[in-house]
Every structure is written in C-alpha cells, then in structure tokens.
Amino acid sequence: MKKALGQIIVSIALLLSTTSCFAGSGSDFGPAKVYEHQLNPISMMEAETLVGKEGVYFFDVNTLELWAEGFIPGAIYFNVKDWKKLLPQNKDTVMVFYCANRLCNASEIAARAVMKLGYTGVRHMYDGIYGWRLSNRVTERP
C-alpha cells in the first residue's frame, strides 16, 4: 500500500511539474516568414578572391569584441547606428556581409536591410569570421 501511494504521489508531482514547461516561443504556430529579397550567398573561396579589389566592400556585422579579435582585411565595422552612411553611392557595388558563423543571423538581417534600400550587389557569406579564421585565411586587427 505504501509503495502504491508513493507511486501516486510521484506521478502527481511529475504531472504538475510538466504543466509549467513550455517549448519554443510560447506563442501559437504560424507560417514561416517569407522574405521579400533572397540572399545571394558567397563562398569563402569566392570571397577571398574579392578581398582588396577596388569597388568591393566587406561589412563585418559582429560585436565590437569579436571585431577586435580580427576581421577580413579591409572590412568595415557595420554594427553601428548610422550604418546607412557606410554604404556606397553606387547601388550595383559588390558588398559582402558576414558575422560570426552560420548560427549568427546579424549579417543576414543587415544584408536584407541593405537590399530593401535598392542595392543589387549584396552578397552574404554564411561561414562568417569563424569559418574564415578556421580555414587559416588572413585577418586584420583594428
């Protein structure tokens, strides 16, 4: 009898504890977000051929701490309030956006925001600065 009562108490405790557990955002399911502009990915190998070329811009959308650890040579720190002032006047200019790695979406958000302004040469490097460094490519420090 004591064993059965103990099992019932444990079962009730487990049942009550699971009612306060939530997975995800806690909101209702909805359709996935559809973006107006599709990103144009660029591989690290292709991006490396563009480093240092005139008229090509690299934008680092990382935190200031990550930027200070090293960035793609010639890259411009993009994570600032007045980022629109950093953009070139020619809307066809090739611009490569990157952040930390494939799990970071800051560069994706920045690239889409720039595309909304009418820029057509926007590229997105998914592997980010961590992929760049892990592949032993050259970096600069501020």
Side-chain angles (χ1 to χ4, degrees):
M1 180 73 168
K2 286 184 180 180
K3 186 176 181 182
L5 184 59
Q7 288 177 343
I8 291 172
I9 291 173
V10 168
S11 297
I12 291 172
L14 288 173
L15 188 62
L16 291 175
S17 68
T18 60
T19 59
S20 63
C21 296
F22 296 101
S25 66
S27 62
D28 293 333
F29 286 105
K33 188 169 184 171
V34 177
Y35 292 101
E36 181 181 346
H37 302 285
Q38 289 293 92
L39 292 175
N40 186 6
I42 186 170
S43 68
M44 286 189 300
M45 187 182 302
E46 187 181 354
E48 188 174 35
T49 67
L50 298 176
V51 172
K53 287 202 173 177
E54 192 169 331
V56 176
Y57 292 80
F58 280 81
F59 290 108
D60 187 309
V61 195
N62 285 303
T63 63
L64 196 54
E65 293 82 10
L66 193 54
W67 161 266
E69 292 175 11
F71 51 89
I72 294 175
I76 300 165
Y77 182 67
F78 194 79
N79 204 356
V80 295
K81 288 183 181 180
D82 56 348
W83 57 267
K84 290 181 183 177
K85 293 180 181 177
L86 302 173
L87 300 174
Q89 294 214 346
N90 181 355
K91 295 204 177 204
D92 296 329
T93 302
V94 175
M95 295 179 282
V96 179
F97 287 82
Y98 68 91
C99 51
N101 55 30
R102 289 179 177 262
L103 298 176
C104 177
N105 68 344
S107 58
E108 189 176 318
I109 292 167
R112 289 186 197 281
V114 170
M115 292 168 80
K116 282 182 182 179
L117 296 175
Y119 287 87
T120 59
V122 176
R123 307 292 303 271
H124 182 251
M125 191 177 77
Y126 286 99
D127 293 313
I129 194 63
Y130 285 134
W132 190 269
R133 289 183 198 152
L134 285 171
S135 62
N136 293 317
R137 289 178 163 84
V138 176
T139 60
E140 285 182 354
R141 289 183 179 236

